[in-house]
């Protein structure tokens, strides 16, 4: 039985580097603090950039794990967790999920692992480890139905052990975004303004977005395209904009801190990804009242507000022409665009909010807690 005196949760992750899963975990840890839990954050390798965003009452532990197989880690992690004596441990992503379960075998402390995407990259021996360690796992949380299907069907984790808890965001924050100033800057003649927010990394396939932009420009020469984010492909994207002759249409805005205003400024938000878990930026865009167009990549389908024939956006094939066609369709039907934005925001405030996600995690932790 969990009492106010025993409400202690330990989260575990490799490092709080910049990424969607890490961003979500920081926000969740802070929410548990607000709910009067004692919260510990265990980073196996290093703190990471997002550690600075943790609430001051979150106790941060860094174990400085060596690269590769660090066989000293299990003893140290086990001792740390037993000293914390949490109600449960919730680990995130492959490295932390592996080492946390190995370290706590037979410790009597429930381990909940959260998987954030369809991990097709896992070789056969990793999949075998997942199946073996599932026997000592209290629950496997998948952030989308697609991720859940992968672990049940491909990895062969028992269905009873898997549950889906979609990611959540601070919807009220994004609903308050004011995009007026950015629209004046990026689309001074009130042109159609489309864009995306995300790291410039291969999985996001920004090149597909640029190829779609080439098709859109042929029909709408004045369209403005904004790419917000930084990353390893920055130089490649700059070169591509020049080669595709999109200098007058595309704005590479870099990393920004005013994302609610960015999303509110856009007419349409786009994700052109090859792979997604449950994309936070799509939830944030709809909370800002901006319709979304997402490629059918993993858990993206779960990130679009839907109720009957109403939706907050469109799901299209992973094809640049499909993206372009969707943009042109919405641009040609302003009433549909407005209806999508209004419904998406209403739905997001109810279903995509961080509090809804934390409620589900809190209930799950209480459920797996050992009896007093």
């Amino acid at each position: 039985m969990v009492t106010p005196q025993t409400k202690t949760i330990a989260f575990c992750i490799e490092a709080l580097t910049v990424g969607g899963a890490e961003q979500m975990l920081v926000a969740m840890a802070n929410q548990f603090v607000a709910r009067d839990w004692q919260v510990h954050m265990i980073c196996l390798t290093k703190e990471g950039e997002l550690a600075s965003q943790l609430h001051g009452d979150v106790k941060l532990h860094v174990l400085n794990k060596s690269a590769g197989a660090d066989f000293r880690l299990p003893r140290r992690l086990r001792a740390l967790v037993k000293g914390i004596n949490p109600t449960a441990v919730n680990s995130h992503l492959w490295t932390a999920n592996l080492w946390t379960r190995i370290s706590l075998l037979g410790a009597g402390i429930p381990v909940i692992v959260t998987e954030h995407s369809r991990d097709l990259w896992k070789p056969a021996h990793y999949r075998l480890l997942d199946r073996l360690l599932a026997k000592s796992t209290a629950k496997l949380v998948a952030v989308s139905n697609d991720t859940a299907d992968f672990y049940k069907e491909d990895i062969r984790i028992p269905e009873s052990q898997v549950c889906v808890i979609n990611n959540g965001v601070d919807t009220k924050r994004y609903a308050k975004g004011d995009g007026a100033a950015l629209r004046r800057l990026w689309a001074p003649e009130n042109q159609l303004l489309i864009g995306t927010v995300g790291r410039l990394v291969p999985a996001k396939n920004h090149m597909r977005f640029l190829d779609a932009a080439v098709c859109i420009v042929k029909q709408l020469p004045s369209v403005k395209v904004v790419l917000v984010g930084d990353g390893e492909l920055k130089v490649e994207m700059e070169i591509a904009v020049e080669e595709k002759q999109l200098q007058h249409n595309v704005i590479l805005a870099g990393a920004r801190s005013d994302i609610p205003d960015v999303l509110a400024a856009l007419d349409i938000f786009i994700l052109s990804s090859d792979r997604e878990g449950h994309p936070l930026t799509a939830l944030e865009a709809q909370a800002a009242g901006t319709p979304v167009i997402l490629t059918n990549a993993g858990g993206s389908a779960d990130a679009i507000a839907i109720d009957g024939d109403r939706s907050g956006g469109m799901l299209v094939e992973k094809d640049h022409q499909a993206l372009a066609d969707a943009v042109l369709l919405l641009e040609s039907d302003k009433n549909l665009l407005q209806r999508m934005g209004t419904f998406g925001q209403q739905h997001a405030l109810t279903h995509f909010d961080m509090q809804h996600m934390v409620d589900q995690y809190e209930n799950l932790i209480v459920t797996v807690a050992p009896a007093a």
Side-chain angles (χ1 to χ4, degrees):
M1 179 180 179
V2 178
T3 67
Q5 290 73 38
T6 62
K7 289 172 59 174
T8 302
I9 179 67
F11 295 108
C12 186
I13 195 165
E14 185 174 8
L16 292 173
T17 50
V18 176
E22 295 82 359
Q23 176 186 340
M24 185 277 287
L25 185 56
V26 167
M28 184 158 68
N30 293 343
Q31 286 296 323
F32 269 87
V33 168
R35 295 182 181 210
D36 296 323
W37 284 73
Q38 296 294 317
V39 180
H40 294 257
M41 181 67 70
I42 302 170
C43 294
L44 297 185
T45 58
K46 61 180 181 179
E47 288 187 9
E49 303 92 320
L50 298 181
S52 63
Q53 297 179 17
L54 289 169
H55 189 282
D57 289 339
V58 176
K59 297 176 176 63
L60 180 63
H61 311 268
V62 181
L63 294 181
N64 299 306
K65 173 186 173 296
S66 301
D70 184 347
F71 295 109
R72 298 173 301 170
L73 179 66
R75 178 181 58 80
R76 296 166 58 221
L77 180 55
R78 185 184 181 94
L80 172 61
V81 174
K82 292 193 76 171
I84 293 170
N85 191 27
T87 307
V89 177
N90 176 214
S91 60
H92 290 253
L93 302 174
W94 162 250
T95 299
N97 291 345
L98 173 68
W99 289 103
T100 300
R101 289 184 287 184
I102 289 174
S103 302
L104 296 180
L105 284 171
I109 298 171
V111 178
I112 299 166
V113 300
T114 299
E115 296 288 357
H116 288 260
S117 65
R118 176 179 282 269
D119 291 328
L120 294 170
W121 60 269
K122 286 186 176 179
H125 61 287
Y126 281 7
R127 296 177 183 221
L128 176 60
L129 278 170
D130 272 334
R131 287 195 292 274
L132 293 174
L133 291 171
K135 298 175 182 178
S136 62
T137 304
K139 209 74 171 180
L140 186 153
V141 175
V143 301
S144 69
N145 285 296
D146 179 77
T147 301
D149 289 344
F150 172 77
Y151 276 89
K152 289 185 290 186
E153 297 168 6
D154 290 49
I155 306 297
R156 302 200 303 275
I157 304 300
E159 186 169 353
S160 61
Q161 216 168 359
V162 180
C163 68
V164 176
I165 300 179
N166 291 146
N167 289 334
V169 298
D170 185 353
T171 56
K172 294 182 177 62
R173 176 181 174 229
Y174 290 94
K176 294 177 182 176
D178 184 352
L182 290 176
R183 281 201 68 87
R184 289 193 296 270
L185 176 65
W186 290 334
E189 298 176 10
N190 202 30
Q191 302 99 314
L192 180 72
L193 182 61
I194 63 176
T196 192
V197 176
R199 292 173 297 157
L200 302 180
V201 294
K204 298 297 183 181
N205 203 331
H206 289 83
M207 200 64 69
R208 178 181 289 133
F209 191 3
L210 291 186
D211 288 338
V214 171
C215 298
I216 296 166
V217 167
K218 291 177 181 177
Q219 302 295 320
L220 298 171
S222 65
V223 67
K224 293 295 183 180
V225 180
V226 179
L227 277 62
V228 174
D230 205 346
E232 62 191 80
L233 300 182
K234 179 181 178 182
V235 174
E236 183 177 329
M237 295 302 296
E238 291 172 344
I239 294 171
V241 168
E242 295 282 338
E243 290 180 343
K244 296 176 188 297
Q245 299 181 8
L246 292 171
Q247 306 94 310
H248 300 299
N249 301 93
V250 173
I251 301 160
L252 298 175
R256 299 182 66 97
S257 60
D258 56 346
I259 302 303
D261 295 341
V262 169
L263 295 173
L266 299 177
D267 292 304
I268 302 170
F269 174 84
I270 294 173
L271 279 181
S272 52
S273 308
D274 288 326
R275 178 170 56 86
E276 287 287 353
H278 188 245
L280 297 177
T281 49
L283 312 182
E284 294 163 354
Q286 288 166 98
T290 301
V292 301
I293 300 174
L294 314 180
T295 47
N296 191 5
S300 291
D302 284 7
I304 298 179
I306 297 177
D307 184 5
D309 61 353
R310 297 183 298 169
S311 74
M314 300 173 63
L315 190 70
V316 303
E317 293 304 313
K318 289 182 278 189
D319 175 75
H320 72 275
Q321 189 63 57
L323 282 171
D325 290 345
V327 169
L328 294 170
L329 172 65
L330 293 184
E331 191 278 335
S332 70
D333 191 341
K334 297 298 194 299
N335 288 332
L336 175 60
L337 192 64
Q338 184 175 12
R339 290 197 303 272
M340 279 186 169
T342 300
F343 169 74
Q345 185 172 60
Q346 293 170 344
H347 186 93
L349 289 169
T350 304
H351 297 91
F352 295 158
D353 192 73
M354 171 69 65
Q355 299 300 329
H356 182 60
M357 180 191 75
V358 176
D359 285 344
Q360 294 177 84
Y361 270 98
E362 189 172 34
N363 290 337
L364 178 59
I365 292 164
V366 171
T367 299
V368 304

